[in-house]
Amino acid sequence: MSPGPAPVPADVEAVIGVAQYEEVGEFPVERGYVWTSCASVENGNPLFWEDEVAEEITGGPIAPPTMISVWFRPHHWAPGRSAARLPLQVHFDLKERLALPEAVMTDNTIVFHEPVRPGDRLRTHQVLRSVSDEKTTKLGTGRFWVIDVEYRNQDDELVAVESYTGFGYRREGG
Amino acid sequence: MTSAPKLLLSSVAKGDVLPSLRYSVTATTVVLGAMASRDWRPMHHDKDFAVERNGLPDIFLNTPNQAAWFERYVTDWTGPHGRLGRVTFRMKGSVFPGDVMELYGVVDDVVIDRVGCGWAQLSVVLRVGDEEKTTAVVRVALPVDESDNPWRRRTDQWRP
């Protein structure tokens, strides 16, 4: 009888559904970045440029929804910081714990809830949603996993959830 | 001032094609997009790094800035009353300076959900030449009539 697929380690199972790496953005949401972002893609949506339109339609200025991850990218340098912070730390934890040196992201879904507004202090955490049994693809043998990144504002309202599907793997013969 | 919605759900049908967007990408496009999204990684501003370390021909558009391009493309079509609910991206290839990127979109479905919110589901593709670089499935809310505004929906009235 051949051995069955390797089970997901118990310590990995234990963190499925658990909020990890809670953090608060390093700076409040601000309009300078909103305008720079809109300028970079020539986005003339009046919600971001005309206060009167924003007031009427969205109850005041908002940030483009797709900017959600921008508010959490750390400064390139900050006093006292000794190591660069990694976004999506749970992904890197899984690679290391499961001894899967290579990884790709296959899909990225963003679901938008309450609008993000200038002055908001956003916070975030990561949640491992699932880890698959071992699979073999053309890249190699490894596991798929789904990680959610949830974002909330200072009033604890959900503003967005990003879901990443990753595949960590070993190259054949590696 | 009262601005009328540019696009109502009733004027959208499955199979409708969105106006395409064509844009010549330069090094400035790539670097500006990376800096606007606070992405300081060198492959988005340092050609030597992109070539020697990543084995690519040049610096390339980063993912958050591509998301911004997709948002701009969709809301150019909907107008400001259009509210993004959900976007799923699949990255297939990189976009480099010198590329002419084109965004195309088609309406896959039009529905009104059980709380009365109108939704258009779109397939959007970013192409360079004949090559699909990024695809996205976009769910965007549109007003169901002149008095509706998806941005006013909160909590259980907003089900993206």
Side-chain angles (χ1 to χ4, degrees), chain A residues 66 73 107-110 157, chain B residues 37 71 87-90 154:
Chain A
T66 58
R73 291 216 180 77
D107 282 310
N108 170 212
T109 296
I110 318 175
E157 296 169 318
Chain B
S37 51
E71 176 174 351
V87 184
T88 297
F89 297 100
R90 181 161 287 186
R154 303 197 66 199

Side-chain angles (χ1 to χ4, degrees), chain B residues 123-134:
Chain B
S123 291
V124 182
V125 178
L126 187 163
R127 283 188 202 143
V128 174
D130 294 332
E131 197 176 344
E132 289 189 356
K133 299 291 191 176
T134 306

